Amino acid sequence: MSAGIYMHVPFCLTRCGYCDFNAYEGLDELKPRYVRALLAEAALTAPEWHDAEISSVFLGGGTPTTITSADLASLFGALCGLFDVASDVEVTVEANPDTVDLESLGGLREGGFTRLSMGAQSFDHRVLRSLERLHAPGSVRRAFAAARAAGYANVNLDLIYGAHGETLESWERTLAEAIALAPEHISAYALTVEPATPLGRAVARGDVPEPDPDTQADMFQLACSMLRDAGYGHYEVSNWARPGYECRHNLGYWRRQPYLGLGAGAHSSRHRRRWWNVRPPEEYLATVEGGRLPVGGEELLDEGDAYLEEVFLRLRIFEGVPSSWIEDERADPFVASGLLTDDDGTLVPTESGMLLLNELVLGLTAAVY
Ligand code: SF4
């Protein structure tokens, strides 16, 4: 059985106004305990995963690179000792451009990290300010050059579109700057407003307008065409890659492969069981330091949920679903309106269909309920 491991690092330099991840600023004094707890949790869970070959490891956050390279390398080294890790394992670390340099990236490369995923978000100062990101566009270019000099041949840039004040022209320049750096992988996400964030509260007060869905749709279409022209394959609704550089770890999620999540709030999945760790870092630490697994909840997917999930995931990675799964009268209107194509018996969304993925899934699957 092939599986992935996700490790969550909840520390950030500052908290961005739109972020609803399990991430905190000002908890630096917890870092040494947190690293020890991750090691302890990995040791507690490893026996359950003895039948799995680990094909990908992903350190995400938060900002994992707020922890020293030596600690991050020792975490990966510990996983190699506890789990059956594949010799060609993909090992990704997420980084904020202001938290890495040639030395730290070199240390991670030597420690076994093969892939760097950098939160660039935008190359427009005003958009970065609107997102409350600390870094400047120049930091991304510097960090990217350092990554290449440190030997990374697989780099992702994360971009966000639709922030207040961003125009189609500004987004076009951001895409052009990202493409000019020639990363192997680009992720582009539409900004979403989560109610329990400073941005969500500002929108609720009327201080900041909600992102305009039509503008975001235009931005998505622009990303599709510019990235296609630059030779990137569109393999998931928000992800593009040079051939062979699709993110193995994320594809594992989307192909419903088992994964183990370690760290505060991390989620795990194995067959139809889903479970997740307690979210507050202090509670996570206290539980693991007490020698217990920090599981905060679990669920078992029933047949209907599993089917719905499978249809949704197959559509979002353009693999499509066999047309025999879906009644003709459900699929035909979507094919006629250009949201789906029937590709030799497989229903695959078009890029326009990707914009309406939720509606597509509900329209195609309502029959099972
Ligand atoms: S750096 Fe990322 S995880 Fe941290 S606060 Fe900003 S968006 Fe959230």
Side-chain angles (χ1 to χ4, degrees):
M1 174 178 82
S2 180
I5 294 180
Y6 172 79
M7 267 195 178
H8 187 74
V9 176
F11 310 112
C12 284
L13 296 177
T14 59
R15 214 175 139 80
C16 310
Y18 62 93
C19 176
D20 78 333
F21 298 136
N22 193 27
Y24 306 83
E25 64 175 276
L27 292 187
D28 290 356
E29 78 284 358
L30 295 185
K31 286 178 185 170
R33 280 173 67 199
Y34 194 83
V35 171
R36 285 195 297 276
L38 283 174
L39 291 170
E41 189 193 2
L44 281 173
T45 50
E48 256 188 73
W49 292 78
H50 66 90
D51 55 346
E53 184 186 57
I54 305 304
S55 56
S56 65
V57 172
F58 195 107
L59 267 85
T63 306
T65 46
T66 54
I67 287 183
T68 66
S69 298
D71 278 342
L72 294 175
S74 77
L75 284 171
F76 175 59
L79 294 185
C80 292
L82 289 165
F83 295 85
D84 175 13
V85 175
S87 56
D88 67 341
V89 63
E90 174 193 272
V91 191
T92 303
V93 60
E94 284 184 337
N96 177 321
D98 281 337
T99 58
V100 289
D101 57 21
L102 179 57
E103 192 187 343
S104 65
L105 289 172
L108 290 171
R109 190 75 196 87
E110 279 165 31
F113 287 79
T114 62
R115 185 170 183 272
L116 183 71
S117 178
M118 199 158 18
Q121 317 312 357
S122 173
F123 285 88
D124 183 327
H125 284 284
R126 285 165 309 168
V127 175
L128 288 170
R129 266 199 304 277
S130 164
L131 290 168
E132 298 182 37
R133 300 288 303 202
L134 276 187
H135 70 267
S139 317
V140 181
R141 293 186 204 99
R142 263 195 307 280
F144 191 90
R148 289 300 197 214
Y152 289 84
N154 190 354
V155 180
N156 169 56
L157 293 181
D158 270 346
L159 304 175
I160 291 182
Y161 57 90
H164 177 50
E166 185 172 44
T167 60
L168 202 55
E169 292 67 35
S170 158
W171 174 235
E172 185 174 0
R173 284 195 299 277
T174 282
L175 285 165
E177 292 245 23
I179 290 167
L181 288 175
E184 284 65 35
H185 192 286
I186 293 181
S187 303
Y189 299 100
L191 177 67
T192 53
V193 177
E194 303 298 338
T197 60
L199 176 63
R201 289 187 283 276
V203 168
R205 285 194 305 271
D207 294 347
V208 177
E210 272 207 76
D212 174 44
D214 291 337
T215 306
Q216 282 191 319
D218 291 344
M219 290 175 166
F220 175 76
Q221 301 284 8
L222 184 63
C224 292
S225 70
M226 286 181 69
L227 293 170
R228 183 174 46 239
D229 291 351
Y232 292 89
H234 193 184
Y235 74 98
E236 194 269 343
V237 58
S238 306
N239 286 280
W240 289 259
R242 297 252 184 248
Y245 288 94
E246 298 81 7
C247 176
R248 190 191 298 173
H249 186 80
N250 287 337
L251 274 175
Y253 294 146
W254 301 323
R255 292 192 170 133
R256 305 176 76 213
Q257 285 173 357
Y259 55 88
L260 168 64
L262 300 170
H267 284 235
S268 304
S269 167
R270 191 163 169 154
H271 310 307
R272 284 197 188 164
R273 182 178 172 237
R274 308 281 183 270
W275 67 102
W276 48 91
N277 284 349
V278 293
R279 209 170 142 95
E282 288 279 15
E283 188 182 351
Y284 168 79
L285 289 173
T287 312
V288 177
E289 287 168 353
R292 284 167 286 126
L293 283 176
V295 177
E298 68 171 326
E299 65 182 5
L300 215 49
L301 292 193
D302 65 22
E303 216 167 292
D305 289 337
Y307 173 75
L308 194 65
E309 186 184 84
E310 175 142 17
V311 170
F312 178 70
L313 293 175
R314 279 168 167 264
L315 291 178
R316 73 184 277 185
I317 55 172
F318 294 99
E319 280 187 357
V321 292
S323 50
S324 58
W325 290 13
I326 311 286
E327 294 158 11
D328 288 348
E329 54 269 37
R330 292 196 169 276
D332 289 349
F334 292 120
V335 175
S337 58
L339 298 180
L340 272 184
T341 57
D342 190 340
D343 190 3
D344 250 352
T346 304
L347 297 168
V348 183
T350 60
E351 283 177 337
S352 310
M354 278 297 181
L355 277 170
L356 297 168
L357 195 56
N358 289 337
E359 288 84 340
L360 210 50
V361 174
L362 285 176
L364 292 176
T365 59
V368 297
Y369 287 105

